[in-house]
Amino acid sequence: MSDNTTVVSRLAPTPSGYLHLGNAVNFVLTWLLTRRAGGTLHLRIDDLDRARLRPAYLDNIFRVIDWLGIDYDHGPSGPDDFLRHHSQLLHLPEYNRVLRRLAQQPGLVQASQRTRTGGTEAAVALETLGAAWRAHVPAGTEIALPDAWQGETSVPLGALMPDFVIRKKDGVAAYQVASVVDDLRLGTNLIVRGLDLQASTAAQLWLAGQLSETAVFNAERVQFFHHPLLTDAAGQKLSKSQQLPTDAGVMAREQGKQAVFQAVAELLELPSGAAESLEMLQKGVETQQFASPR
């Protein structure tokens, strides 16, 4: 990214559970890095997983943003505005255009009826009802990624994600496609993600490179920060899919916002006093020579 390029980033939560500590830390990191660069921040809510969407989860996203004291420049003002004017369902034609173009590339897309627990491995026609579309990654494919946090990285995509889903069995675009299309529409050029999504980043870069109209989503134009993950007491990464029905998310934590700010300060290797408030974190990031942590 050139020095005179305006930074554009986004918060991209999914309303599939109450936001946990890791989500809140990612929000604050993204906000700090974007504001430090004088950039523009979007709120982009990924709601294509309709089976897990709940009104309470959607409302929680806006409540956590307000609770943290961060802001954004573009996006929905609340749940109703989101559903009316910003839902991913409004962009299905855009996703479908890219899916059709990908399907036209020789040997790239195959349809499969297999599930996570088994099923038929043999490819079926793309028109088969209930079949997912998968992008075939050639064996040995490596994606070089200049990760601003982790350093120069090479992701063995062919080994990690040899045939990832691009269209789900319900005929709706999967995350890897929708995320690329959304980021291109927003003009995103700074993406802050957890380290567990580094393989997804590689998949998106590789997939975008298959089409001329999406090829601008590349590691020369987009800067990626893949930060370390936060874990629970058992050492497992925090996940909304592991939440119990009684879980209320990060806002119910005993330490409140201090737990979020402390985790951010530690990740950025800032002095302990920076965790006192969002303002102190921002001052610490702006006054310290920021070098991407290891």
Side-chain angles (χ1 to χ4, degrees):
M1 190 187 304
S2 63
D3 293 338
N4 59 357
T5 299
T6 300
V7 167
V8 180
S9 191
R10 80 291 197 275
L11 309 175
T14 58
S16 57
Y18 293 111
L19 298 183
H20 53 63
L21 177 62
N23 300 131
V25 167
N26 177 268
F27 278 19
V28 173
L29 283 171
T30 303
W31 185 85
L32 286 170
L33 293 174
T34 304
R35 294 297 181 234
R36 181 181 188 273
T40 297
L41 186 61
H42 292 262
L43 173 59
R44 188 198 89 191
I45 299 175
D46 296 350
D47 68 328
L48 287 182
D49 186 356
R50 309 302 289 184
R52 297 175 63 192
L53 187 151
R54 301 288 185 274
Y57 300 156
L58 181 59
D59 180 66
N60 179 249
I61 291 171
F62 296 94
R63 292 180 61 207
V64 168
I65 289 173
D66 289 342
W67 178 70
L68 289 171
I70 62 177
D71 61 351
Y72 51 93
D73 303 296
H74 300 286
S77 59
D80 184 64
D81 183 39
F82 168 73
L83 293 171
R84 289 176 179 270
H85 303 117
H86 298 272
S87 170
Q88 286 184 306
L89 297 182
L90 301 174
H91 300 288
L92 291 179
E94 299 172 46
Y95 308 144
N96 289 337
R97 279 195 293 272
V98 171
L99 285 169
R100 286 194 297 270
R101 287 279 290 120
L102 290 170
Q104 293 169 359
Q105 308 309 302
L108 179 62
V109 179
Q110 296 179 339
S112 169
Q113 292 179 306
R114 83 171 190 260
T115 65
R116 292 181 180 179
T117 57
T120 304
E121 288 286 346
V124 297
L126 294 181
E127 298 79 13
T128 304
L129 291 177
W133 288 10
R134 294 176 176 270
H136 172 67
V137 181
T141 298
E142 299 262 346
I143 304 299
L145 178 64
D147 194 315
W149 199 304
Q150 302 297 326
E152 290 293 331
T153 303
S154 182
V155 180
L157 185 63
L160 295 176
M161 300 175 65
D163 60 345
F164 59 89
V165 175
I166 60 172
R167 195 185 80 163
K168 298 177 292 183
K169 291 185 175 183
D170 59 6
V172 176
Y175 167 72
Q176 309 298 3
V177 169
S179 186
V180 169
V181 173
D182 289 344
D183 280 327
L184 286 172
R185 182 178 63 256
L186 298 178
T188 305
N189 56 24
L190 171 66
I191 295 178
V192 184
R193 288 172 166 162
L195 189 55
D196 59 330
L197 289 177
Q198 194 176 67
S200 284
T201 294
Q204 291 170 18
L205 289 171
W206 176 82
L207 192 66
Q210 306 304 310
L211 301 177
S212 59
E213 57 264 47
T214 56
V216 69
F217 186 85
N218 59 64
E220 293 183 0
R221 177 183 169 275
V222 184
Q223 185 177 40
F224 295 92
F225 285 78
H226 291 91
H227 58 80
L229 301 178
L230 300 183
T231 58
D232 59 20
Q236 300 295 315
K237 82 178 184 75
L238 302 178
S239 171
K240 285 183 287 186
S241 64
Q242 297 173 344
Q243 289 180 345
L244 300 173
T246 55
D247 287 344
V250 64
M251 293 175 64
R253 291 183 68 94
E254 184 176 342
Q255 293 178 301
K257 287 184 288 188
Q258 287 306 119
V260 180
F261 297 156
Q262 183 64 44
V264 171
E266 291 176 0
L267 286 175
L268 292 176
E269 300 181 353
L270 296 175
S272 58
E276 292 180 8
S277 66
L278 184 64
E279 292 74 22
M280 291 296 290
L281 279 175
Q282 191 172 19
K283 182 179 179 180
V285 169
E286 290 177 348
T287 58
Q288 178 173 312
Q289 182 63 40
F290 182 79
S292 301
R294 294 167 294 281

